[in-house]
Amino acid sequence: MTGSRRLRAAAAGLLAARAGLAVAGRVPAARWQRTNFAGRPVTLLGGPVLAAAATGSAVLGGPPGQRAAAAVVGTVAGLVGGYDDLAGARPEQVRDKGLAGHLAALRAGRVSAGVVKVVGIGAAASVAAVLTRRGSAADAVLTVGLVAGTANLVNLLDLRPGRAGKAAVLLAGATLGGPAGGLAAGPLGATAGVLPADLGERVMLGDCGANALGALLGLRLAALPGRASRAGLLTVVTALTLASERVSFTRVIEATPVLRELDQLGRRPA
């Protein structure tokens, strides 16, 4: 029964994502149009499509004790990520990027869209920790950290077509097992549904899609057994996040043959 539920969740995520992209392709939405790294026009509407498909299918596939938490983190992360996609593009907020940029904005008396996103995702992660009722305060801290940290990390990878999606597929595929594996099945299917359009540079995930997807996968990581393993994962997520402030992920990937080949797989020539 568990296997069939995961299969249904994955199929639902895939079909919802494909249907959503078909609808988004007919919607004139100039506010969501962007130019990507290669100078090609893309739409950020792939983000809301992915956020909705991944969240709905995670709720469908997740175990009873995790469904409400999945609904909260996926929905809130998608909403505040979408706000950052739109408000963060305003001229006065263009420089408010990264931890340093957000702190500089606060010192100047401005609340950047990124700060709104961080607070929103942090609050949703805290609600998820209460809803999932993991043992002690330490478990709650790990849940908050993994949900918020993974949401941010997947977003940091969304700098080239398909990069965040591939990472999410690998992570979701690696965590399909276990009682809470259904949480990853829906997001896996939804990501697979959006990935061809992302690689084809027709859509971008943006903060909306990447943050929602990452938050859902973080919730799956928080459901893993063993506090030590979860603490280790949080340490890795935190280390990568801090490293991103000083090291370019793109440069590291391009300098590493295996990562470079994986990163370019399926992508259009520059």
Side-chain angles (χ1 to χ4, degrees), residues 26-220:
R26 299 187 180 95
V27 176
R31 293 184 68 195
W32 295 87
Q33 296 299 312
R34 297 290 186 274
T35 300
N36 73 358
F37 82 107
R40 297 181 178 119
V42 295
T43 177
L44 284 170
L45 285 176
V49 167
L50 176 58
T55 301
S57 56
V59 173
L60 176 65
Q66 299 280 349
R67 292 173 193 166
V72 169
V73 300
T75 300
V76 173
L79 287 174
V80 295
Y83 173 74
D84 195 18
D85 282 330
L86 298 178
R90 295 170 184 168
E92 69 273 15
Q93 298 210 27
V94 170
R95 294 184 180 180
D96 298 339
K97 301 300 179 183
L99 179 61
H102 299 318
L103 291 176
L106 287 174
R107 287 195 295 269
R110 292 184 293 105
V111 177
S112 68
V115 168
V116 172
K117 184 180 69 173
V118 168
V119 172
I121 294 175
S126 300
V127 171
V130 173
L131 291 173
T132 53
R133 298 183 180 90
R134 292 299 297 260
S136 66
D139 292 305
V141 170
L142 289 173
T143 295
V144 173
L146 284 169
V147 170
T150 309
N152 183 60
L153 185 58
V154 172
N155 189 41
L156 289 173
L157 292 173
D158 189 35
L159 295 176
R160 292 293 185 271
R163 181 180 293 173
K166 290 173 185 174
V169 165
L170 292 173
L171 179 56
T175 55
L176 281 175
L183 280 172
L188 174 60
T191 306
V194 173
L195 192 55
D198 188 9
L199 286 168
E201 299 183 42
R202 298 187 296 278
V203 304
M204 289 177 65
L205 304 188
D207 292 50
C208 179
N211 282 142
L213 180 60
L216 291 166
L217 293 178
L219 184 65
R220 171 64 189 104

